[in-house]
mmCIF file of all heavy atoms in Angstrom:
data_model
loop_
_atom_site.group_PDB
_atom_site.id
_atom_site.type_symbol
_atom_site.label_atom_id
_atom_site.label_comp_id
_atom_site.label_asym_id
_atom_site.label_seq_id
_atom_site.Cartn_x
_atom_site.Cartn_y
_atom_site.Cartn_z
ATOM 1 N N LEU W 779 -28.851 7.198 23.576
ATOM 2 C CA LEU W 779 -27.574 7.305 24.283
ATOM 3 C C LEU W 779 -27.650 8.396 25.307
ATOM 4 O O LEU W 779 -26.645 9.023 25.688
ATOM 5 C CB LEU W 779 -26.438 7.563 23.297
ATOM 6 C CG LEU W 779 -26.236 6.428 22.273
ATOM 7 C CD1 LEU W 779 -25.210 6.826 21.232
ATOM 8 C CD2 LEU W 779 -25.767 5.142 22.988
ATOM 9 N N MET W 790 -21.662 19.521 19.688
ATOM 10 C CA MET W 790 -20.488 19.083 18.982
ATOM 11 C C MET W 790 -20.836 18.137 17.823
ATOM 12 O O MET W 790 -20.095 18.025 16.859
ATOM 13 C CB MET W 790 -19.616 18.292 19.943
ATOM 14 C CG MET W 790 -18.185 18.661 19.990
ATOM 15 S SD MET W 790 -17.409 17.940 21.453
ATOM 16 C CE MET W 790 -17.756 16.222 21.295
ATOM 17 N N HIS W 791 -21.980 17.495 17.976
ATOM 18 C CA HIS W 791 -22.381 16.480 17.019
ATOM 19 C C HIS W 791 -23.496 16.984 16.092
ATOM 20 O O HIS W 791 -24.061 16.189 15.341
ATOM 21 C CB HIS W 791 -22.863 15.232 17.745
ATOM 22 C CG HIS W 791 -21.797 14.540 18.537
ATOM 23 N ND1 HIS W 791 -21.411 13.253 18.256
ATOM 24 C CD2 HIS W 791 -21.053 14.968 19.547
ATOM 25 C CE1 HIS W 791 -20.452 12.903 19.129
ATOM 26 N NE2 HIS W 791 -20.241 13.933 19.922
ATOM 27 N N THR W 804 -22.516 10.484 14.029
ATOM 28 C CA THR W 804 -21.430 11.313 14.475
ATOM 29 C C THR W 804 -20.429 10.560 15.312
ATOM 30 O O THR W 804 -19.405 11.064 15.703
ATOM 31 C CB THR W 804 -21.970 12.505 15.302
ATOM 32 O OG1 THR W 804 -22.626 11.974 16.467
ATOM 33 C CG2 THR W 804 -22.919 13.333 14.473
ATOM 34 N N HIS W 805 -20.824 9.356 15.676
ATOM 35 C CA HIS W 805 -19.914 8.440 16.410
ATOM 36 C C HIS W 805 -20.383 6.989 16.237
ATOM 37 O O HIS W 805 -21.480 6.756 15.699
ATOM 38 C CB HIS W 805 -19.837 8.823 17.923
ATOM 39 C CG HIS W 805 -21.175 9.023 18.611
ATOM 40 N ND1 HIS W 805 -21.274 9.301 19.936
ATOM 41 C CD2 HIS W 805 -22.447 8.911 18.169
ATOM 42 C CE1 HIS W 805 -22.532 9.404 20.292
ATOM 43 N NE2 HIS W 805 -23.254 9.180 19.232
ATOM 44 N N THR W 806 -19.602 6.040 16.694
ATOM 45 C CA THR W 806 -20.011 4.630 16.547
ATOM 46 C C THR W 806 -20.823 4.137 17.738
ATOM 47 O O THR W 806 -21.311 3.040 17.740
ATOM 48 C CB THR W 806 -18.748 3.740 16.385
ATOM 49 O OG1 THR W 806 -17.736 4.155 17.327
ATOM 50 C CG2 THR W 806 -18.182 3.793 14.998
ATOM 51 N N SER W 807 -21.011 5.030 18.710
ATOM 52 C CA SER W 807 -21.765 4.638 19.916
ATOM 53 C C SER W 807 -23.190 4.155 19.642
ATOM 54 O O SER W 807 -23.672 3.264 20.381
ATOM 55 C CB SER W 807 -21.788 5.807 20.904
ATOM 56 O OG SER W 807 -20.500 6.222 21.242
ATOM 57 N N PRO W 808 -23.924 4.656 18.625
ATOM 58 C CA PRO W 808 -25.269 4.107 18.404
ATOM 59 C C PRO W 808 -25.275 2.576 18.190
ATOM 60 O O PRO W 808 -26.309 1.953 18.437
ATOM 61 C CB PRO W 808 -25.779 4.834 17.165
ATOM 62 C CG PRO W 808 -24.644 5.642 16.618
ATOM 63 C CD PRO W 808 -23.682 5.792 17.753
ATOM 64 N N GLN W 810 -23.867 0.495 19.978
ATOM 65 C CA GLN W 810 -24.091 -0.060 21.323
ATOM 66 C C GLN W 810 -25.547 -0.394 21.479
ATOM 67 O O GLN W 810 -25.939 -1.511 21.872
ATOM 68 C CB GLN W 810 -23.697 0.961 22.404
ATOM 69 C CG GLN W 810 -22.248 1.221 22.614
ATOM 70 C CD GLN W 810 -22.041 2.094 23.841
ATOM 71 O OE1 GLN W 810 -22.849 2.076 24.783
ATOM 72 N NE2 GLN W 810 -20.972 2.871 23.874
ATOM 73 N N VAL W 829 -17.267 7.804 10.888
ATOM 74 C CA VAL W 829 -18.218 8.742 11.482
ATOM 75 C C VAL W 829 -18.034 10.111 10.878
ATOM 76 O O VAL W 829 -17.013 10.400 10.249
ATOM 77 C CB VAL W 829 -18.039 8.818 13.030
ATOM 78 C CG1 VAL W 829 -18.176 7.422 13.654
ATOM 79 C CG2 VAL W 829 -16.716 9.438 13.419
ATOM 80 N N ARG W 831 -18.625 14.487 11.141
ATOM 81 C CA ARG W 831 -18.926 15.635 11.977
ATOM 82 C C ARG W 831 -18.673 16.931 11.211
ATOM 83 O O ARG W 831 -17.889 16.932 10.242
ATOM 84 C CB ARG W 831 -18.001 15.647 13.222
ATOM 85 C CG ARG W 831 -18.292 14.506 14.133
ATOM 86 C CD ARG W 831 -17.787 14.746 15.525
ATOM 87 N NE ARG W 831 -17.910 13.503 16.246
ATOM 88 C CZ ARG W 831 -17.177 13.156 17.306
ATOM 89 N NH1 ARG W 831 -16.269 14.020 17.735
ATOM 90 N NH2 ARG W 831 -17.403 12.007 17.883
ATOM 91 N N PHE W 843 -14.030 10.413 9.728
ATOM 92 C CA PHE W 843 -12.895 9.683 10.272
ATOM 93 C C PHE W 843 -13.349 8.347 10.890
ATOM 94 O O PHE W 843 -14.521 8.134 11.077
ATOM 95 C CB PHE W 843 -12.133 10.525 11.289
ATOM 96 C CG PHE W 843 -12.971 11.058 12.427
ATOM 97 C CD1 PHE W 843 -13.038 10.375 13.645
ATOM 98 C CD2 PHE W 843 -13.715 12.222 12.288
ATOM 99 C CE1 PHE W 843 -13.844 10.845 14.695
ATOM 100 C CE2 PHE W 843 -14.509 12.708 13.316
ATOM 101 C CZ PHE W 843 -14.557 12.017 14.509
ATOM 102 N N GLN W 845 -13.676 5.449 13.811
ATOM 103 C CA GLN W 845 -13.705 5.238 15.261
ATOM 104 C C GLN W 845 -13.763 3.747 15.540
ATOM 105 O O GLN W 845 -14.117 2.974 14.677
ATOM 106 C CB GLN W 845 -14.992 5.875 15.879
ATOM 107 C CG GLN W 845 -14.875 7.352 16.153
ATOM 108 C CD GLN W 845 -15.976 7.839 17.079
ATOM 109 O OE1 GLN W 845 -17.036 7.247 17.170
ATOM 110 N NE2 GLN W 845 -15.704 8.954 17.747
ATOM 111 N N ILE W 846 -13.377 3.387 16.754
ATOM 112 C CA ILE W 846 -13.594 2.004 17.195
ATOM 113 C C ILE W 846 -14.305 2.106 18.566
ATOM 114 O O ILE W 846 -13.805 2.708 19.518
ATOM 115 C CB ILE W 846 -12.294 1.244 17.375
ATOM 116 C CG1 ILE W 846 -11.527 1.174 16.051
ATOM 117 C CG2 ILE W 846 -12.594 -0.190 17.891
ATOM 118 C CD1 ILE W 846 -10.145 0.548 16.164
ATOM 119 N N GLU W 847 -15.485 1.573 18.597
ATOM 120 C CA GLU W 847 -16.311 1.539 19.831
ATOM 121 C C GLU W 847 -16.118 0.216 20.498
ATOM 122 O O GLU W 847 -15.895 -0.794 19.838
ATOM 123 C CB GLU W 847 -17.787 1.688 19.372
ATOM 124 C CG GLU W 847 -18.755 1.927 20.506
ATOM 125 C CD GLU W 847 -18.759 3.395 20.872
ATOM 126 O OE1 GLU W 847 -18.259 4.224 20.097
ATOM 127 O OE2 GLU W 847 -19.283 3.702 21.957
ATOM 128 N N GLY W 848 -16.227 0.198 21.822
ATOM 129 C CA GLY W 848 -16.180 -1.087 22.533
ATOM 130 C C GLY W 848 -17.306 -1.115 23.547
ATOM 131 O O GLY W 848 -17.713 -0.087 24.064
ATOM 132 N N LEU W 849 -17.840 -2.308 23.772
ATOM 133 C CA LEU W 849 -18.935 -2.452 24.760
ATOM 134 C C LEU W 849 -18.860 -3.851 25.407
ATOM 135 O O LEU W 849 -18.702 -4.826 24.686
ATOM 136 C CB LEU W 849 -20.296 -2.293 24.061
ATOM 137 C CG LEU W 849 -21.527 -2.520 24.963
ATOM 138 C CD1 LEU W 849 -21.689 -1.417 25.997
ATOM 139 C CD2 LEU W 849 -22.795 -2.660 24.082
ATOM 140 N N LEU W 860 -13.124 -2.545 33.415
ATOM 141 C CA LEU W 860 -12.795 -1.523 32.412
ATOM 142 C C LEU W 860 -11.299 -1.214 32.439
ATOM 143 O O LEU W 860 -10.612 -1.283 31.414
ATOM 144 C CB LEU W 860 -13.608 -0.256 32.650
ATOM 145 C CG LEU W 860 -13.199 0.977 31.854
ATOM 146 C CD1 LEU W 860 -13.317 0.742 30.363
ATOM 147 C CD2 LEU W 860 -14.042 2.197 32.244
ATOM 148 N N PHE W 884 -16.700 13.623 31.050
ATOM 149 C CA PHE W 884 -18.163 13.471 30.937
ATOM 150 C C PHE W 884 -18.540 12.988 29.553
ATOM 151 O O PHE W 884 -18.115 13.532 28.524
ATOM 152 C CB PHE W 884 -18.908 14.766 31.223
ATOM 153 C CG PHE W 884 -20.375 14.651 30.952
ATOM 154 C CD1 PHE W 884 -21.187 14.042 31.934
ATOM 155 C CD2 PHE W 884 -20.933 14.995 29.764
ATOM 156 C CE1 PHE W 884 -22.538 13.853 31.701
ATOM 157 C CE2 PHE W 884 -22.292 14.802 29.516
ATOM 158 C CZ PHE W 884 -23.088 14.242 30.492
ATOM 159 N N PHE W 885 -19.359 11.934 29.511
ATOM 160 C CA PHE W 885 -20.089 11.532 28.280
ATOM 161 C C PHE W 885 -21.510 11.217 28.732
ATOM 162 O O PHE W 885 -21.705 10.671 29.805
ATOM 163 C CB PHE W 885 -19.474 10.325 27.597
ATOM 164 C CG PHE W 885 -18.053 10.564 27.131
ATOM 165 C CD1 PHE W 885 -16.980 10.112 27.892
ATOM 166 C CD2 PHE W 885 -17.792 11.269 25.956
ATOM 167 C CE1 PHE W 885 -15.682 10.351 27.450
ATOM 168 C CE2 PHE W 885 -16.523 11.523 25.542
ATOM 169 C CZ PHE W 885 -15.439 11.063 26.256
ATOM 170 N N PRO W 886 -22.504 11.611 27.948
ATOM 171 C CA PRO W 886 -23.916 11.390 28.380
ATOM 172 C C PRO W 886 -24.246 9.932 28.586
ATOM 173 O O PRO W 886 -25.102 9.611 29.398
ATOM 174 C CB PRO W 886 -24.733 11.971 27.230
ATOM 175 C CG PRO W 886 -23.810 12.814 26.446
ATOM 176 C CD PRO W 886 -22.434 12.237 26.654
ATOM 177 N N PHE W 887 -23.571 9.039 27.862
ATOM 178 C CA PHE W 887 -23.969 7.618 27.867
ATOM 179 C C PHE W 887 -23.133 6.796 28.839
ATOM 180 O O PHE W 887 -23.295 5.563 28.870
ATOM 181 C CB PHE W 887 -23.900 7.037 26.448
ATOM 182 C CG PHE W 887 -22.797 7.618 25.634
ATOM 183 C CD1 PHE W 887 -21.510 7.122 25.664
ATOM 184 C CD2 PHE W 887 -23.027 8.755 24.801
ATOM 185 C CE1 PHE W 887 -20.504 7.681 24.932
ATOM 186 C CE2 PHE W 887 -21.995 9.333 24.073
ATOM 187 C CZ PHE W 887 -20.724 8.805 24.125
ATOM 188 N N THR W 888 -22.196 7.401 29.586
ATOM 189 C CA THR W 888 -21.445 6.648 30.589
ATOM 190 C C THR W 888 -21.432 7.427 31.878
ATOM 191 O O THR W 888 -21.469 8.662 31.912
ATOM 192 C CB THR W 888 -19.981 6.415 30.145
ATOM 193 O OG1 THR W 888 -19.446 7.646 29.619
ATOM 194 C CG2 THR W 888 -19.864 5.324 29.114
ATOM 195 N N PRO W 890 -19.537 6.545 35.894
ATOM 196 C CA PRO W 890 -18.708 7.692 35.556
ATOM 197 C C PRO W 890 -18.058 7.550 34.205
ATOM 198 O O PRO W 890 -17.982 6.459 33.626
ATOM 199 C CB PRO W 890 -17.643 7.611 36.696
ATOM 200 C CG PRO W 890 -17.581 6.188 37.050
ATOM 201 C CD PRO W 890 -18.982 5.635 36.884
ATOM 202 N N SER W 891 -17.474 8.686 33.718
ATOM 203 C CA SER W 891 -16.803 8.714 32.437
ATOM 204 C C SER W 891 -15.347 9.103 32.661
ATOM 205 O O SER W 891 -15.019 9.737 33.627
ATOM 206 C CB SER W 891 -17.452 9.724 31.497
ATOM 207 O OG SER W 891 -18.819 9.469 31.346
ATOM 208 N N ALA W 892 -14.528 8.725 31.669
ATOM 209 C CA ALA W 892 -13.085 9.019 31.782
ATOM 210 C C ALA W 892 -12.461 9.268 30.420
ATOM 211 O O ALA W 892 -12.974 8.739 29.427
ATOM 212 C CB ALA W 892 -12.352 7.905 32.477
ATOM 213 N N GLU W 893 -11.419 10.072 30.415
ATOM 214 C CA GLU W 893 -10.525 10.107 29.250
ATOM 215 C C GLU W 893 -9.356 9.205 29.611
ATOM 216 O O GLU W 893 -8.845 9.284 30.753
ATOM 217 C CB GLU W 893 -9.983 11.515 28.977
ATOM 218 C CG GLU W 893 -11.015 12.586 28.854
ATOM 219 C CD GLU W 893 -11.593 12.753 27.467
ATOM 220 O OE1 GLU W 893 -11.134 12.006 26.565
ATOM 221 O OE2 GLU W 893 -12.459 13.593 27.274
ATOM 222 N N MET W 918 -8.423 7.497 24.242
ATOM 223 C CA MET W 918 -9.847 7.194 24.092
ATOM 224 C C MET W 918 -10.676 7.784 25.225
ATOM 225 O O MET W 918 -10.164 8.279 26.220
ATOM 226 C CB MET W 918 -10.062 5.654 24.108
ATOM 227 C CG MET W 918 -9.742 4.978 25.434
ATOM 228 S SD MET W 918 -10.158 3.208 25.381
ATOM 229 C CE MET W 918 -8.674 2.528 24.723
ATOM 230 N N GLY W 919 -12.015 7.790 24.967
ATOM 231 C CA GLY W 919 -12.973 8.078 26.034
ATOM 232 C C GLY W 919 -13.566 6.748 26.465
ATOM 233 O O GLY W 919 -13.640 5.800 25.688
ATOM 234 N N ALA W 920 -13.987 6.693 27.734
ATOM 235 C CA ALA W 920 -14.521 5.407 28.248
ATOM 236 C C ALA W 920 -15.405 5.669 29.469
ATOM 237 O O ALA W 920 -15.472 6.822 29.976
ATOM 238 C CB ALA W 920 -13.357 4.474 28.629
ATOM 239 N N GLY W 921 -16.009 4.632 29.963
ATOM 240 C CA GLY W 921 -16.812 4.780 31.195
ATOM 241 C C GLY W 921 -17.711 3.585 31.418
ATOM 242 O O GLY W 921 -17.712 2.644 30.624
ATOM 243 N N MET W 922 -18.472 3.657 32.521
ATOM 244 C CA MET W 922 -19.457 2.583 32.822
ATOM 245 C C MET W 922 -20.771 2.991 32.138
ATOM 246 O O MET W 922 -21.193 4.158 32.258
ATOM 247 C CB MET W 922 -19.655 2.472 34.326
ATOM 248 C CG MET W 922 -18.380 2.129 35.088
ATOM 249 S SD MET W 922 -17.582 0.626 34.484
ATOM 250 C CE MET W 922 -18.750 -0.636 35.019
ATOM 251 N N VAL W 923 -21.397 2.044 31.461
ATOM 252 C CA VAL W 923 -22.617 2.344 30.736
ATOM 253 C C VAL W 923 -23.662 2.946 31.674
ATOM 254 O O VAL W 923 -23.939 2.421 32.758
ATOM 255 C CB VAL W 923 -23.181 1.041 30.084
ATOM 256 C CG1 VAL W 923 -24.496 1.393 29.334
ATOM 257 C CG2 VAL W 923 -22.192 0.462 29.121
ATOM 258 N N PHE W 941 -19.217 -1.726 30.626
ATOM 259 C CA PHE W 941 -18.338 -0.565 30.279
ATOM 260 C C PHE W 941 -18.321 -0.342 28.775
ATOM 261 O O PHE W 941 -18.633 -1.269 28.005
ATOM 262 C CB PHE W 941 -16.948 -0.698 30.842
ATOM 263 C CG PHE W 941 -16.141 -1.848 30.304
ATOM 264 C CD1 PHE W 941 -15.501 -1.793 29.068
ATOM 265 C CD2 PHE W 941 -15.944 -3.026 31.063
ATOM 266 C CE1 PHE W 941 -14.723 -2.839 28.565
ATOM 267 C CE2 PHE W 941 -15.176 -4.099 30.592
ATOM 268 C CZ PHE W 941 -14.562 -3.997 29.360
ATOM 269 N N ALA W 942 -17.970 0.854 28.380
ATOM 270 C CA ALA W 942 -17.874 1.197 26.962
ATOM 271 C C ALA W 942 -16.671 2.087 26.764
ATOM 272 O O ALA W 942 -16.157 2.687 27.694
ATOM 273 C CB ALA W 942 -19.142 1.928 26.499
ATOM 274 N N PHE W 943 -16.184 2.080 25.526
ATOM 275 C CA PHE W 943 -15.073 2.979 25.202
ATOM 276 C C PHE W 943 -15.146 3.344 23.715
ATOM 277 O O PHE W 943 -15.820 2.664 22.945
ATOM 278 C CB PHE W 943 -13.710 2.366 25.542
ATOM 279 C CG PHE W 943 -13.454 1.013 24.867
ATOM 280 C CD1 PHE W 943 -12.924 0.966 23.599
ATOM 281 C CD2 PHE W 943 -13.777 -0.152 25.516
ATOM 282 C CE1 PHE W 943 -12.685 -0.250 22.984
ATOM 283 C CE2 PHE W 943 -13.532 -1.391 24.940
ATOM 284 C CZ PHE W 943 -12.998 -1.424 23.639
ATOM 285 N N GLY W 944 -14.523 4.475 23.386
ATOM 286 C CA GLY W 944 -14.459 4.869 21.968
ATOM 287 C C GLY W 944 -13.139 5.520 21.682
ATOM 288 O O GLY W 944 -12.678 6.349 22.426
ATOM 289 N N MET W 945 -12.512 5.085 20.563
ATOM 290 C CA MET W 945 -11.218 5.700 20.220
ATOM 291 C C MET W 945 -11.123 6.041 18.753
ATOM 292 O O MET W 945 -11.928 5.522 17.936
ATOM 293 C CB MET W 945 -10.078 4.722 20.607
ATOM 294 C CG MET W 945 -10.047 3.431 19.853
ATOM 295 S SD MET W 945 -8.695 2.401 20.465
ATOM 296 C CE MET W 945 -9.597 1.199 21.432
HETATM 297 N N1 DAH X 1431 -18.746 8.535 21.280
HETATM 298 C C1 DAH X 1431 -17.699 9.359 21.836
HETATM 299 C C2 DAH X 1431 -17.242 10.378 20.827
HETATM 300 O O1 DAH X 1431 -17.474 10.204 19.649
HETATM 301 C C3 DAH X 1431 -16.498 8.502 22.229
HETATM 302 C C4 DAH X 1431 -16.821 7.659 23.413
HETATM 303 C C5 DAH X 1431 -16.542 8.118 24.652
HETATM 304 C C6 DAH X 1431 -17.377 6.402 23.256
HETATM 305 C C7 DAH X 1431 -16.804 7.324 25.761
HETATM 306 C C8 DAH X 1431 -17.685 5.639 24.378
HETATM 307 C C9 DAH X 1431 -17.360 6.139 25.648
HETATM 308 O O2 DAH X 1431 -18.225 4.411 24.250
HETATM 309 O O3 DAH X 1431 -17.636 5.360 26.714
HETATM 310 O O4 DAH X 1431 -16.673 11.372 21.205
#
Side-chain angles (χ1 to χ4, degrees):
L779 297 173
M790 228 166 55
H791 295 242
T804 61
H805 51 178
T806 43
S807 303
Q810 288 188 28
V829 304
R831 293 200 190 156
F843 55 96
Q845 277 195 336
I846 301 174
E847 190 82 14
L849 175 71
L860 169 61
F884 175 80
F885 297 101
F887 34 87
T888 46
S891 304
E893 307 274 0
M918 67 175 87
M922 300 305 290
V923 179
F941 65 79
F943 57 86
M945 65 182 104

